[in-house]
Structure formats: structure tokens, C-alpha cells
């Protein structure tokens, strides 16, 4: 194999795409900062138990592992940033009130999470700790929508569900881990035949409710239908009411519900959402409430947030017009007028212009900046910018 061939689902990012990704990253971070979110930069590498404690098997399988040559302990390359941010909130900041944090950095996956996906996403996320009320859920969802709007992604559709509904339906049934996993899989794939077989021995009310879940997908009418066909337990009533309340706060995006959607069921503790747009193979954004995320660090605080892959976002975000540059001649520092030219170039760069110096013998080189002007002497012998 050639030395320059990269591993599967790992790729270089070339200039045009890298520029677009960086522009999106800045817009996302600026949008989060406008909401009062503080930027944190957790390390790529941590002790394995810190990365995986309480996160479930799925994240364990996605995490690259290695041995620390200094301590002999197992280390992991992060596959998700949320556990690290929860650790920062719990131990390094340890604030008594609300904490808003955001981040943007690479994560690594042992396998792509879907066909054609990268194993090195650039994960942006925002999280709010310390508030158990629905106001925090609404803020996370509205910030996620504003982040996508800032990157000029449209139209948007919000899919909503709640982890408490299925938990309430299976509570008290005493299901072991394999049966529970099979049940979750059947619900997620909406496999009515498998679901009927799995719930055959359940009490009639729970069996009927679980089978009804796979048909509870659509617009706001779904919530009214769910209130009729699902048991009227306090947990289910609260979940449906909160979904309705959150949906009423969404503007400028379609809202749909899928009450059998269990993606991330081991992670979320309440309302969860995904945001979709045409052209994306899956949800651009996933988020929701995960109140237990900090418990393993000794501080069980309410938490809600979302994340997205900037590399995936670049595929559907509107391209930004390229800011054209100025081409300037290259003069040896010993030339008599070199100092004057350098001063002119420096002034242009300070004003925000891109100035590309044409190296000797490469005056006609084509690059991404597409110079539409040049720095040349005018009739009076001064350095001035003129159109090409």
C-alpha cells in the first residue's frame, strides 16, 4: 500500500472546503457566544474510565484505546465531547448556578456511524447545566436552530421525541438487558411483527401501548392521539405536555414527532430532538436533555444540549462568496523601493485585505484567492491598487 493512502473514512480537507469549514465554525461559535455560552477546549486524550464512565456500550465501541507510555494506564481518544464538558462543569468550574458551555473540536470514531460518514467529525456543541426547567430545553433547541440559520441552512424540520415515554411503559416489567435491547431495536426500526412477538407476554395495556408507538409519527395531531392510546401515567402525561410546549416555541421550522424514536435512548433522560434539512443523509443536529450525565463525576446536575458535525454541515450549508485578493509584486529587500512596497502591503492587510505576493517566475499562478486587483505604481509613481 502506498504511504500516502489514508485509512478508510479518513480524509484530508483541501483548501476550499477547509475555508468553508472554518467560516462555519466561526459562525457557530459566534452564535453560541451571543447566547452567553463560554468556549471550552477539552483534550483529545483522557484516561479511559473518565471518557466512558456512565456513557454506555455504544460509546465504548466507538472509542479508540491505547496505553499511556508514562503511566501504563489505558487512555482513550474522545468519541464524544459531552462527557468531558460534564467533567469540566462538575470539577473544574463547580459553579452553583447555571453554566453555559460550548466547544468545537475533532472527535474520533472506530467505525463510521453511517455509510460514507467520516470517522473524524469536527464536533460543535452547546450545553447548559444547572436548570431543570423547560426553559433550558427551549434555549438549547432555539440555539441549535439559530446556529443552522447562521450558516444559511434551510429549510429545517425538527423531529421530537421523549425518552421517558418508553421508560414509563416498560417500568416494572423486569426486562433483562438483552430483551430490553431487542425491544428498543424493534421500536427504532418500527418492526411491528418483531414488536408483537416481543410484547406477547406483556400485560395487555403495555403491549398495546408499545405497539401503538410505532404509528405515532407525524405532526401535532400525534400528541393528541398519543394521549388517547397511551396509559395516562404521570410520566407520560408530563412528557406529552412538555413536547407540546416546546413545539409551540419553534418558529421558522416544521415540527414533527416520532414517539418510537429511540436513538440515544441510553443517553437521554427526557425530551430529545433532531434537526433535518434536504440534502443531508441524517439529522444535522441531535440534542436533548441528559440529566444524569454528570452523576458519575459526583455532581448530578440538570443538563441539556446538542451537537453537530461541522464537516457534515459544510455539505448542505450555502457557500460563502470568496473574498477576492490583491496581487502584489515581490521585491528583494535590497531594492530601493522595497520598504515602500512592504509598507503598502502591510497597510492593506491591516485593513482586512488579502494580499498575495507573486514570487519570481510565478506571476500567473492560479490559486484559490482569484486576485481581481493588483498593487502597482500609478502615474505619479506611488503604489496603488487597480483592477485587473
Amino acid at each position: 500500500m502506498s504511504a500516502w493512502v489514508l485509512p478508510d473514512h479518513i480524509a484530508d480537507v483541501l483548501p476550499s472546503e477547509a475555508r468553508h469549514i472554518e467560516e462555519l465554525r466561526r459562525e457557530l461559535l459566534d452564535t453560541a457566544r451571543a447566547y452567553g455560552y463560554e468556549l471550552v477546549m477539552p483534550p483529545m486524550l483522557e484516561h479511559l474510565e473518565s471518557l466512558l464512565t456512565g456513557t454506555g456500550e455504544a460509546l465504548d465501541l466507538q472509542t479508540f484505546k491505547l496505553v499511556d507510555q508514562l503511566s501504563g494506564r489505558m487512555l482513550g481518544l474522545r468519541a464524544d465531547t459531552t462527557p468531558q464538558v460534564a467533567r469540566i462543569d462538575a470539577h473544574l468550574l463547580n459553579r452553583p448556578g447555571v453554566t453555559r458551555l460550548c466547544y468545537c473540536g475533532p472527535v474520533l470514531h472506530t467505525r463510521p456511524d453511517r455509510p460514507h460518514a467520516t470517522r473524524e467529525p469536527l464536533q460543535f456543541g452547546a450545553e447548559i447545566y444547572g436548570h431543570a426547567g423547560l426553559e433550558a430545553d427551549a434555549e438549547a433547541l432555539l440555539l441549535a436552530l439559530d446556529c443552522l440559520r447562521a450558516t444559511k441552512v434551510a429549510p429545517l424540520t425538527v423531529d421530537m421525541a421523549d425518552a421517558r415515554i418508553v421508560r414509563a411503559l416498560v417500568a416494572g416489567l423486569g426486562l433483562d438487558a438483552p430483551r430490553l435491547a431487542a425491544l428498543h431495536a424493534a421500536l427504532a426500526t418500527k418492526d411491528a411483527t418483531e414488536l408483537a412477538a416481543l410484547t406477547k407476554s406483556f400485560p395487555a395495556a403495555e403491549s398495546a401501548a408499545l405497539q401503538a408507538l410505532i404509528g405515532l409519527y407525524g405532526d401535532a395531531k400525534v400528541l393528541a392521539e398519543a394521549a388517547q392510546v397511551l396509559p395516562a401515567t404521570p410520566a407520560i402525561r408530563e412528557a406529552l405536555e412538555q413536547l407540546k410546549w416546546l413545539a409551540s416555541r419553534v418558529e421558522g421550522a416544521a415540527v414533527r414527532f416520532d414517539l418510537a424514536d429511540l436513538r440515544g435512548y441510553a443517553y437521554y433522560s427526557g425530551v430529545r430532538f433532531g434537526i433535518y434539512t434536504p440534502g443531508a443523509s441524517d439529522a444535522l443536529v441531535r440534542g436533548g436533555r441528559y440529566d444524569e450525565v454528570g452523576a458519575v463525576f459526583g455532581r448530578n446536575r440538570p443538563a441539556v444540549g446538542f451537537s453537530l458535525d461541522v464537516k457534515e454541515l459544510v455539505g448542505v450549508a450555502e457557500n460563502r462568496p470568496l473574498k477576492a485578493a490583491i496581487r502584489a509584486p515581490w521585491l528583494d529587500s535590497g531594492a530601493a523601493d522595497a520598504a515602500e512596497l512592504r509598507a503598502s502591503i502591510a497597510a492593506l492587510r491591516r485593513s482586512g485585505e488579502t494580499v498575495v505576493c507573486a514570487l519570481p517566475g510565478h506571476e500567473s499562478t492560479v490559486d484559490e484567492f482569484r486576485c481581481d486587483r493588483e498593487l502597482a505604481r500609478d502615474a505619479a509613481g506611488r503604489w496603488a491598487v487597480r483592477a485587473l
Side-chain angles (χ1 to χ4, degrees):
M1 177 180 292
S2 299
W4 54 267
V5 176
L6 293 173
D8 290 344
H9 299 279
I10 299 291
D12 293 309
V13 181
L14 301 182
S16 292
E17 185 177 5
R19 174 179 55 82
H20 196 184
I21 287 173
E22 174 60 14
E23 289 169 350
L24 295 180
R25 185 190 70 86
R26 293 179 185 181
E27 289 167 349
L28 293 168
L29 289 174
D30 286 347
T31 303
R33 182 172 60 184
Y35 273 69
Y37 285 71
E38 301 171 274
L39 178 64
V40 292
M41 296 180 179
M44 277 290 298
L45 196 66
E46 280 209 45
H47 292 126
L48 192 60
E49 60 268 26
S50 177
L51 283 178
L52 298 183
T53 300
T55 58
E57 182 183 10
L59 197 57
D60 186 10
L61 295 175
Q62 280 283 59
T63 302
F64 280 99
K65 304 172 179 70
L66 63 155
V67 177
D68 186 359
Q69 296 299 307
L70 294 180
S71 67
R73 295 176 63 181
M74 288 298 296
L75 303 178
L77 294 168
R78 67 177 179 219
D80 182 34
T81 313
T82 292
Q84 297 181 295
V85 178
R87 173 182 55 76
I88 289 172
D89 172 69
H91 286 292
L92 299 182
L93 296 178
N94 197 27
R95 294 170 179 170
V98 168
T99 300
R100 293 176 172 91
L101 301 174
C102 64
Y103 55 85
C104 190
V107 297
L108 290 172
H109 295 162
T110 55
R111 294 176 177 272
D113 57 11
R114 58 186 176 277
H116 311 299
T118 178
R119 289 195 289 164
E120 191 188 14
L122 181 60
Q123 189 181 54
F124 165 81
E127 309 188 5
I128 180 168
Y129 293 86
H131 186 72
L134 277 178
E135 297 85 359
D137 300 71
E139 179 172 298
L141 176 54
L142 296 179
L143 172 56
L145 288 167
D146 277 352
C147 282
L148 294 180
R149 293 181 184 119
T151 58
K152 298 179 173 58
V153 174
L156 301 174
T157 299
V158 179
D159 246 26
M160 302 178 70
D162 196 302
R164 292 170 294 182
I165 294 175
V166 174
R167 289 181 185 177
L169 291 175
V170 301
L173 296 181
L175 301 180
D176 57 24
R179 290 186 70 195
L180 189 59
L183 181 66
H184 287 149
L187 284 167
T189 58
K190 295 181 170 49
D191 188 337
T193 302
E194 177 67 11
L195 190 61
L198 289 169
T199 61
K200 186 176 181 180
S201 61
F202 290 7
E206 283 76 5
S207 176
L210 286 165
Q211 292 182 61
L213 272 184
I214 61 175
L216 293 175
Y217 174 78
D219 58 20
K221 296 176 183 177
V222 166
L223 298 182
E225 183 182 351
Q228 296 296 319
V229 301
L230 298 181
T233 66
I236 291 177
R237 282 202 308 270
E238 182 180 41
L240 295 176
E241 289 168 2
Q242 291 188 357
L243 286 170
K244 182 178 179 180
W245 186 89
L246 281 173
S248 71
R249 268 63 188 172
V250 175
E251 297 179 356
V255 179
R256 299 184 68 81
F257 303 90
D258 184 357
L259 302 189
D261 186 352
L262 289 171
R263 279 171 287 193
Y265 68 87
Y267 194 74
Y268 294 107
S269 61
V271 173
R272 52 154 302 279
F273 59 84
I275 305 178
Y276 296 80
T277 194
S281 61
D282 200 357
L284 280 178
V285 174
R286 291 203 181 279
R289 180 165 287 277
Y290 33 83
D291 285 344
E292 282 85 27
V293 70
V296 295
F297 301 110
R299 196 169 187 227
N300 194 4
R301 299 231 293 163
V304 60
F306 67 89
S307 66
L308 59 86
D309 177 11
V310 185
K311 289 183 178 179
E312 182 182 12
L313 181 62
V314 78
V316 294
E318 179 181 311
N319 276 316
R320 306 302 188 274
L322 181 64
K323 183 179 178 181
I326 299 169
R327 187 173 67 198
W330 185 91
L331 289 181
D332 186 89
S333 59
D337 55 354
E340 184 184 352
L341 174 61
R342 286 199 304 271
S344 297
I345 292 172
L348 287 168
R349 287 172 175 164
R350 284 194 300 269
S351 71
E353 294 284 2
T354 298
V355 182
V356 181
C357 290
L359 297 177
H362 299 275
E363 289 79 3
S364 61
T365 299
V366 176
D367 59 31
E368 186 190 356
F369 292 103
R370 301 178 192 141
C371 300
D372 66 346
R373 291 157 293 161
E374 68 174 351
L375 186 61
R377 289 197 177 279
D378 60 16
R382 294 168 301 193
W383 291 106
V385 176
R386 67 185 184 191
L388 283 173

